[in-house]
Amino acid sequence: MFAAYSGQPAGLLRNELLEKLQKTRAVVSVHEHIGVEHLVHASGRRVEYRQSLSQWAELCGSIHWGDLLPGAKLFAAAVFAMPIYESSRGRRLDVEGGRDGDIYWTRNRFIVAACGAHQTRPLHDIDDGKPQSLPLPVLFVDPSQSATDFERAYEDLLPFICGLKWHPYAQGGSIATFIQQGYLDLAASRGLPTVVHCARPGMQDDFGELFNTLFVATRRSRAVVDVAHAGFLHDNIHRIQENEYLYLDCGPWSMICDHAMPGTGPSERAARLARILKTLPQAFLFAMDTPWNLITWIDGTLHGAEVARDVDIVRSALASLEDSMREQWFHNNPLQFLHGRPWRAP
């Protein structure tokens, strides 16, 4: 799946992509994955997560996006490689076919090449009746490398990418490591948004830790950051509204609710989603986080739901909101974020 990359980047420049999206009625997600990863739990259980770009595009084409945003025939999404789990590094060689140090290089260049090859079609064919997909490439940063060295290594790709991704726990670092390496400053200087993984309350990288650390750091750097997975519905997620540089995304909603709202049904989960939208109307972002919408937990239990089920919950949540909220959540908010802008003027 991670094909060798050579030659110059192909595809649309970031400013071209965002300009076209600004003029196109589209549902936009800020958090999706392609590639493959073998996650090995402490028990020795090995779980494979895999999604090719063609599989992702086929999934996107099966959803009637116009049901969420009337008139929308395009689904655009920030697309990352799979998380790079430090604990599984030695077991990745059969997947990557390269040395440990090549993993970031291989995955990042694969993402840009794969997305670029797909980008030349969707925006020209949105009137053929079938929903189209538009992937927006995002690079995983390397916490073992300074942002200066990272920028130098990927200088040829940076005009084509739409953001940066951090997953501190998986990558073997703390949130402070990424900041000290200069990645917020890099993002701000390039006008790029950053998506940061958030863990369940009480774990490393939970919402409390991320919020406390990022609150000051984002204000200083003026970099915008999306805290992923709705902060696993931490008691303080409403505090996102205190910092215009911080956003929150909802993906994957059923998996989040399985952990934060166990035993609840679709109606309760839809109501909770609607309440967050009302509380954070400008700072909340849509995301599905495929293929991690269905995950096998450490005890072997399956959590989450098929994408169609999550979309049904989203549709139910929207029923209690004003129609203007659809445009805000699915189009305006993500484009503000992808432009690297705070959700309100500082």
Side-chain angles (χ1 to χ4, degrees):
M1 183 171 289
F2 290 96
Y5 172 86
S6 62
Q8 295 298 313
L12 300 176
L13 295 170
R14 174 175 176 251
N15 59 352
E16 295 174 324
L17 286 166
L18 297 182
E19 182 180 352
K20 287 179 181 293
L21 277 178
Q22 198 76 50
K23 300 175 182 178
T24 305
R25 197 157 180 81
V27 172
V28 184
S29 165
V30 299
H31 194 155
E32 309 294 333
H33 294 270
I34 62 170
V36 60
E37 176 67 338
H38 292 166
L39 180 57
V40 182
H41 293 303
S43 64
R45 183 187 302 275
R46 180 184 175 108
V47 184
E48 181 182 270
Y49 295 91
R50 177 184 294 268
Q51 179 168 250
S52 68
L53 187 59
S54 61
Q55 288 170 328
W56 173 81
E58 183 177 353
L59 174 65
C60 296
S62 70
I63 304 296
H64 296 287
W65 300 109
D67 291 348
L68 302 183
L69 180 63
K73 294 183 179 179
L74 178 70
F75 178 70
V79 174
F80 334 133
M82 292 295 191
I84 299 170
Y85 279 88
E86 181 72 20
S87 62
S88 302
R89 185 173 294 275
R91 295 181 173 88
R92 282 202 220 91
L93 298 185
D94 60 326
V95 178
E96 309 290 352
R99 302 186 308 278
D100 286 356
D102 293 331
I103 290 171
Y104 288 96
W105 179 271
T106 301
R107 291 192 176 189
N108 281 333
R109 291 189 173 270
F110 163 76
I111 285 290
V112 175
C115 290
H118 190 85
Q119 285 168 359
T120 56
R121 298 189 299 274
L123 294 182
H124 301 292
D125 301 328
I126 59 174
D127 293 325
D128 70 357
K130 181 179 179 181
Q132 299 293 313
S133 56
L134 180 66
L136 313 172
V138 173
L139 299 186
F140 254 99
V141 305
D142 183 350
S144 69
Q145 188 177 40
S146 73
T148 300
D149 289 342
F150 182 89
E151 184 176 26
R152 187 179 301 116
Y154 294 102
E155 185 67 44
D156 61 323
L157 300 189
L158 291 176
F160 297 87
I161 71 164
C162 293
L164 303 174
K165 176 69 189 293
W166 307 358
H167 196 314
Y169 173 75
Q171 294 176 262
S174 68
I175 188 73
T177 303
F178 291 77
I179 295 171
Q180 291 163 4
Q181 290 284 41
Y183 283 108
L184 284 182
D185 294 323
L186 169 62
S189 69
R190 292 280 184 163
L192 291 169
T194 298
V195 177
V196 178
H197 168 79
C198 183
R200 293 177 298 153
M203 297 180 65
Q204 179 187 328
D205 309 327
D206 74 356
F207 181 84
E209 179 185 351
L210 294 184
F211 183 82
N212 291 336
T213 305
L214 290 170
F215 191 91
V216 174
T218 52
R219 285 273 175 83
R220 177 193 58 77
S221 63
R222 297 180 179 270
V224 301
V225 174
D226 165 39
V227 178
H229 314 315
F232 272 94
L233 304 185
H234 188 282
D235 290 342
N236 290 328
I237 59 171
H238 63 279
R239 294 195 63 194
I240 286 286
Q241 64 192 316
E242 299 173 18
N243 186 332
E244 59 274 12
Y245 294 99
L246 294 178
Y247 290 79
L248 192 75
D249 81 46
C250 72
W253 186 244
S254 288
M255 188 275 289
I256 294 165
C257 292
D258 279 357
H259 291 286
M261 301 172 61
T264 57
S267 60
E268 295 162 289
R269 296 178 176 196
R272 184 63 184 277
L273 188 60
R275 288 199 298 273
I276 298 174
L277 273 165
K278 291 176 182 177
T279 303
L280 304 171
Q282 294 173 282
F284 201 38
L285 300 170
F286 179 65
M288 298 189 302
D289 194 16
T290 59
W292 298 83
N293 53 294
L294 279 171
I295 66 170
T296 301
W297 206 241
I298 192 169
D299 61 1
T301 57
L302 188 66
H303 292 260
E306 297 290 347
V307 168
R309 179 181 165 193
D310 266 351
V311 170
D312 284 342
I313 292 175
V314 169
R315 189 182 295 109
S316 297
L318 292 169
S320 65
L321 302 173
E322 296 180 2
D323 288 345
S324 61
M325 183 60 71
R326 296 171 182 258
E327 186 85 20
Q328 185 82 35
W329 190 29
F330 294 123
H331 193 262
N332 297 347
N333 289 358
L335 281 179
Q336 186 79 352
F337 173 71
L338 290 169
H339 274 101
R341 300 168 182 162
W343 51 265
R344 70 180 174 210

